[in-house]
Amino acid sequence: MRKKDFEKIMEARAQGKSIGLVQGSWDLFHIGHLRYLKKARGLCDFLVVAMDSDEKIKKRKGETRPIIPEKERYDFIKLLNIADLIVIKPVREPKWNLIKTIEPDVLVAIKENYNEEEIKELENYCGQVAILPRQSETSTSDKIRKIMISSTGRLMKQNEQKVMEAIASLKERINYTDDMPEPIPELINYLPNSTDFSVPVAACCQVNDTYVFGANQTDFKIPEKDIENRTELYYATVEHAEINMLKKIGSIDKITSPVYTTLFPCDKCMKVLIEKGVKEIYYLEDHPNRNWSKKSHVLARQNGVKTECLLDNKKKVEIVDDVNNYKYIYPPNARKQEQLDIMINMENDGKDPLNPQYINQEILFMTNYWFVSQNRFPYDDVEAQFLIVSRYPIYRKEDMNDSMWIDLQNIWNELTKGYNLPGGALCFRFGEPAYSGASLKRLHCHLIIPKENLKTKFTIGGKKELKRGLIINNNKNK
């Protein structure tokens, strides 16, 4: 939260006004949103409306959201003249950070936002947690679902060709051969049964010595809605392959055989598989950078489910022969392909990726010697990860003066206090990247806060080989 926004709240409180806080995405604004805001307005004297940023919505709801961009959503709410203050919530804001900062007299929410235990905990930071019923029969997701179903119906005429093209692309990516071990050929051959032309997926499990297969299926039915309990499908238009497979298996309570799937299960499917007793999952591909995949891997680890990519031993490991010839970067320490592509392109253009003039991400603030941003490629299982980078081209810790160290300490204190960070680690790499584990050479450090009850691994050390599966493409985006 900006300092001037916090001061407005404190000024209102000093005048004896009660402070209310209501939070949401406010995407594809509808009558339910308006009723909700007007009721929140009636519960307080000074209403703060918190609005999720585009990045925050995209991370939680997928690449197709939000429908309405951040600035338009902000202007719409402002024009309603209901809010006394509108605050935009960043993508990696710590849990309940805004609530703890404002300490509202009344926090307005719907019952799906918090469970009973969370409400009791929130009452430590709020005068009251006011739970309102939903204010309309159709949510934003419902409206989008109807639009998607209508559009998908028109596209289904091209479905078969698109599915076959997607299967051919998959075969090329995994270097498919007919002599691959069972049940990989059977899985691939079952993919044409998918009616989801964007990403056809197949899954199978052995039951009574016979493999039962399922494919992801497009759903054209809009289910009946229970407005009070919000019973609806998790997904807009697709029944996932694992669920389709389980429906065909039928009434078996526990599944002891491994599940095989062409794509790593999402977090919702993983929960269902865990409930069915599945302890082994083998897959051909994954989208490890997607939020649903990260959540799913965590669920598997927490519940003792073995997950293994059947094709890991087929992925090439690229040796970087000229590893010491890069001025600004150290490619072998890159963790993700997108990260590596950006590094290579910047290096080829003679630009330091950590130069504040070129860095392609929001800078939260600058001091005399450093600038601070939220890490674009955070480690797994972190609640927040801040990147603190030298404003000037300094690449050795020996070149830091006393003022830089003091400035860094002040930033550490400011972030810890400003974001109410409960604890974490300040990780500072130095020296040769092959020892430090850094992928970028300009002096920088990470302030990392792990998710509660989860461990985060911060790597130190490096090799001359790229991470398995990554490639250096010097022509990308040229």
Side-chain angles (χ1 to χ4, degrees):
M1 173 185 284
R2 298 179 302 178
K3 183 179 179 182
K4 65 179 182 180
D5 290 338
F6 183 75
E7 289 174 348
K8 286 182 182 178
I9 296 171
M10 292 300 100
E11 182 180 350
R13 180 161 280 150
Q15 294 171 359
K17 295 181 179 179
S18 60
I19 309 300
L21 172 63
V22 60
Q23 307 179 93
S25 300
W26 318 112
D27 191 17
L28 210 61
F29 201 91
H30 56 75
I31 187 64
H33 289 148
L34 181 58
R35 291 170 178 163
Y36 188 44
L37 287 174
K38 292 185 74 172
K39 288 196 174 184
R41 167 80 274 177
L43 294 173
C44 62
D45 302 318
F46 186 98
L47 179 62
V48 180
V49 175
M51 187 187 81
D52 293 338
S53 67
D54 286 351
E55 285 187 285
K56 189 175 183 68
I57 295 174
K58 195 178 297 292
K59 180 179 179 182
R60 189 173 75 254
K61 298 191 176 184
E63 291 297 319
T64 60
R65 300 287 297 274
I67 303 298
I68 308 300
E70 184 176 300
K71 186 179 185 307
E72 290 186 27
R73 290 184 286 120
Y74 181 94
D75 289 344
F76 192 96
I77 294 175
K78 185 176 181 181
L79 287 170
L80 291 174
N81 201 28
I82 293 176
D84 294 291
L85 180 65
I86 305 171
V87 177
I88 297 177
K89 297 178 68 176
V91 61
R92 294 191 179 88
E93 183 181 49
K95 181 181 179 182
W96 298 352
N97 178 67
L98 188 61
I99 299 171
K100 294 177 181 178
T101 301
I102 295 176
E103 295 185 339
D105 298 291
V106 56
L107 173 65
V108 183
I110 57 175
K111 72 176 185 178
E112 288 88 348
N113 291 147
Y114 310 107
N115 60 39
E116 292 184 5
E117 291 182 1
E118 289 174 327
I119 290 174
K120 289 181 180 178
E121 185 178 351
L122 282 167
E123 287 173 347
N124 295 323
Y125 311 107
C126 311
Q128 173 193 1
V129 180
I131 302 298
L132 299 181
R134 284 191 175 267
Q135 303 298 306
S136 71
E137 295 186 1
T138 307
S139 69
T140 298
S141 296
D142 297 336
K143 291 178 182 292
I144 294 172
R145 174 179 168 77
K146 291 179 180 179
I147 295 170
M148 292 179 68
I149 288 175
S150 176
S151 300
T152 303
R154 293 192 295 270
L155 291 171
M156 281 298 291
K157 294 179 181 178
Q158 307 169 18
N159 178 34
E160 184 176 348
Q161 178 63 28
K162 288 181 176 290
V163 168
M164 298 312 296
E165 290 173 359
I167 294 170
S169 176
L170 169 64
K171 287 183 176 180
E172 183 177 350
R173 290 195 303 271
I174 68 174
N175 299 317
Y176 174 77
T177 60
D178 290 335
D179 60 355
M180 284 183 166
E182 184 182 305
I184 294 179
E186 294 90 335
L187 267 180
I188 301 297
N189 291 332
Y190 195 80
L191 279 171
N193 290 280
S194 171
T195 58
D196 176 19
F197 52 78
S198 58
V199 184
V201 179
C204 71
C205 181
Q206 196 170 36
V207 179
N208 298 327
D209 298 324
T210 302
Y211 279 106
V212 178
F213 291 85
N216 49 350
Q217 300 289 303
T218 304
D219 172 29
F220 293 97
K221 296 179 181 178
I222 301 176
E224 293 295 324
K225 300 291 190 279
D226 178 344
I227 302 305
E228 185 66 25
N229 297 312
R230 300 301 296 167
T231 56
E232 59 184 323
L233 296 185
Y234 283 122
Y235 304 100
T237 58
V238 176
E239 176 182 83
H240 286 202
E242 297 88 340
I243 305 303
N244 187 250
M245 174 197 73
L246 291 174
K247 285 171 65 175
K248 292 181 178 180
I249 290 174
S251 59
I252 296 178
D253 292 330
K254 292 294 181 182
I255 297 176
T256 57
S257 300
V259 167
Y260 298 84
T261 181
T262 54
L263 182 65
F264 191 78
C266 71
D267 52 322
K268 301 295 191 303
C269 289
M270 181 64 76
K271 287 180 181 178
V272 177
L273 294 173
I274 290 170
E275 289 171 1
K276 279 289 186 179
V278 173
K279 288 298 182 182
E280 295 179 65
I281 298 174
Y282 299 93
Y283 58 97
L284 303 183
E285 291 188 308
D286 191 7
H287 292 306
N289 298 334
R290 301 287 181 87
N291 198 41
W292 57 260
S293 178
K294 293 178 182 179
K295 290 180 180 178
S296 189
H297 279 284
V298 170
L299 282 170
R301 290 197 299 270
Q302 290 176 338
N303 290 275
V305 177
K306 176 185 177 182
T307 61
E308 181 179 333
C309 180
L310 295 173
L311 303 175
D312 270 350
N313 59 348
K314 294 183 179 293
K315 293 181 181 178
K316 296 179 180 179
V317 176
E318 183 177 344
I319 307 297
V320 185
D321 294 327
D322 54 351
V323 67
N324 294 316
N325 293 337
Y326 292 92
K327 183 176 180 180
Y328 302 114
I329 68 176
Y330 190 82
N333 289 340
R335 294 178 288 114
K336 300 179 180 181
Q337 187 64 53
E338 181 185 359
Q339 176 192 24
L340 180 58
D341 289 340
I342 293 171
M343 291 164 47
I344 293 294
N345 287 335
M346 296 286 280
E347 177 81 23
N348 290 342
D349 289 339
K351 298 177 180 178
D352 183 347
L354 287 183
N355 186 321
Q357 293 181 345
Y358 306 132
I359 193 167
N360 187 22
Q361 60 194 65
E362 180 185 3
I363 295 177
L364 299 178
F365 62 88
M366 283 191 175
T367 63
N368 290 334
Y369 297 99
W370 307 90
F371 70 86
V372 180
S373 69
Q374 291 187 338
N375 199 312
R376 188 174 177 183
F377 301 100
Y379 285 87
D380 292 338
D381 302 331
V382 302
E383 188 67 39
Q385 183 172 344
F386 296 93
L387 190 63
I388 307 171
V389 186
S390 169
R391 288 183 59 179
Y392 307 103
I394 294 177
Y395 300 91
R396 303 185 314 150
K397 68 176 180 60
E398 289 80 8
D399 294 328
M400 289 180 60
N401 56 36
D402 291 343
S403 296
M404 287 190 74
W405 286 109
I406 295 172
D407 202 14
L408 178 61
Q409 181 179 342
N410 290 336
I411 291 173
W412 185 3
N413 291 334
E414 183 174 343
L415 287 174
T416 303
K417 183 178 179 180
Y419 285 84
N420 292 324
L421 304 180
L426 184 68
C427 306
F428 199 119
R429 292 189 170 107
F430 68 92
E432 292 295 328
Y435 291 89
S436 70
S439 59
L440 298 165
K441 295 183 179 181
R442 182 183 287 234
L443 273 186
H444 64 281
C445 60
H446 302 260
L447 183 61
I448 302 174
I449 296 83
K451 290 183 178 178
E452 190 174 3
N453 297 324
L454 294 177
K455 292 184 178 294
T456 296
K457 294 182 179 179
F458 182 81
T459 55
I460 302 175
K463 301 178 181 179
K464 289 187 177 182
E465 301 89 3
L466 292 180
K467 182 180 177 182
R468 190 176 297 274
L470 298 189
I471 60 170
I472 290 180
N473 186 349
N474 286 298
N475 296 318
K476 190 172 181 65
N477 297 330
K478 288 289 184 181

